[in-house]
Each structure stands twice: as C-alpha cells, then as structure tokens.
Amino acid sequence: MIPHAIAVATGKGGSGKTSIAANLAAIAAKAGWTVLAVDLDPQGNLGLDLGYLADPRYDGGRSLFAAAGCLRNRP
C-alpha cells in the first residue's frame, strides 16, 4: 500500500473519473503537495484535462520511454 495515495476507478465509462482525478490533482498541487497523476485509461485524456498536451515540450511520452531504455534502435 502507498501512503497518501488516491485512486479513482470504476468499471463504467463516462462516469467522470478523469475529471475527478484531474481536479483532485490540481487542488492538491495548488495546496502545495507534490502530485503524480497517472492515467491508465486507453483514451489518455488526463494530460489534456491538466493542460499538458498544449505545452510545447509535450512529446507523447517519448522521453519517458527513452529514459527507461524502451526506444533502442527506433527512429
């Protein structure tokens, strides 16, 4: 178990999980907490909800995969 962790989950689509997770993450960050928000939904809209996809540094996760060594021999 991870202390101080919040998970938002349900089996039903369209129930507002991403919106709730984005708002909880934003409120916690605004309150001074260090926040890691992980989106495991195949649609992957959490980054969009938090405004990261509009950032010019957004690379679709390529740097994360490169840092983990998952992009060997790929263009």
Side-chain angles (χ1 to χ4, degrees):
M1 176 173 271
I2 302 171
H4 308 291
I6 298 172
V8 180
T10 182
K12 183 182 181 315
S15 60
K17 296 178 296 292
T18 301
S19 297
I20 289 171
N23 282 291
L24 285 172
I27 290 167
K30 185 82 172 171
W33 290 46
T34 300
V35 176
L36 171 64
V38 178
D39 189 357
L40 299 177
D41 191 315
Q43 289 179 338
N45 289 326
L46 185 59
L48 182 64
D49 285 3
L50 293 174
Y52 286 105
L53 301 183
D55 190 309
R57 296 171 291 181
Y58 174 70
D59 66 356
R62 186 167 178 78
S63 7
L64 176 63
F65 280 101
C70 299
L71 293 180
R72 294 186 190 108
N73 301 322
R74 291 190 180 174

